[in-house]
Amino acid sequence: MSFLENVDNMKDKILMSEDPTVMTSLDHETITKARRKHSKVLLIADGVKNIEQCKWIIEYANWFAPGSKVVLISQNKNLLVDAGVRDVYEVRTLRYDEALQLLSHFAFKQPYPPSDFEQLAVRAVHLAGFLPFALRLLGSF
């Protein structure tokens, strides 16, 4: 198994695990390789649900070379603040014109919908709740 496959495997274990303290020898081997190579690591953890998991991931990132970065993604801003996260970026919803452009980009391959599809596109934007991923999915179909 390659180094990158080990890292992917470790990432899956971290993200899927209900117990964030679980580590296997494979994980230790991957960490050792990364440290030996003085690798800077970008660790992205999506769906962080509890403070123990959050703190463990932050500590885990300290095992890598200086300059490594951690991105924690959670729907609970207070969880991140309580865990000591220094920089919290709160994602806002798209404005109406941005949402319409995004939908049009995926649905029609142009910045705005054709006039005969404008009402349908407006309805789709509202149904998607101005959420980028939902707009992309709707536009792709």
Side-chain angles (χ1 to χ4, degrees):
M1 193 178 290
S2 75
F3 176 73
L4 289 176
E5 289 171 326
N6 285 343
V7 171
D8 284 340
N9 189 11
M10 181 171 45
K11 175 195 73 164
D12 291 340
K13 288 178 186 175
I14 291 169
L15 295 179
M16 298 301 198
S17 177
E18 290 297 318
D19 178 7
T21 59
V22 174
M23 288 187 64
T24 66
S25 59
L26 173 63
D27 299 327
H28 289 292
E29 180 182 327
T30 303
I31 292 166
T32 303
K33 285 180 183 178
R35 297 270 318 192
R36 204 173 323 136
K37 293 181 179 185
H38 304 289
S39 300
K40 290 182 183 177
V41 174
L42 172 62
L43 178 61
I44 300 173
D46 189 9
V48 177
K49 293 182 176 86
N50 61 57
I51 196 157
E52 293 83 19
Q53 186 180 31
C54 193
K55 287 181 177 180
W56 185 84
I57 292 168
I58 291 168
E59 178 61 31
Y60 184 81
N62 291 330
W63 297 342
F64 292 105
S68 293
K69 301 289 182 194
V70 178
V71 176
L72 300 172
I73 302 171
S74 178
Q75 292 184 358
N76 184 348
K77 179 181 176 182
N78 293 331
L79 171 76
L80 301 175
V81 172
D82 292 345
V85 173
R86 285 178 287 184
D87 299 314
V88 177
Y89 177 77
E90 195 165 343
V91 178
R92 61 173 179 77
T93 60
L94 296 174
R95 294 187 323 254
Y96 169 75
D97 60 319
E98 294 171 328
L100 188 60
Q101 283 182 348
L102 184 63
L103 176 76
S104 298
H105 171 75
F106 287 100
F108 309 111
K109 309 292 186 246
Q110 58 189 43
Y112 291 99
S115 58
D116 49 336
F117 285 99
E118 193 168 343
Q119 278 189 319
L120 184 60
V122 168
R123 186 162 181 225
V125 165
H126 286 282
L127 286 173
F130 298 83
L131 298 172
F133 187 67
L135 291 165
R136 182 178 179 172
L137 285 177
L138 283 175
S140 296
F141 291 107

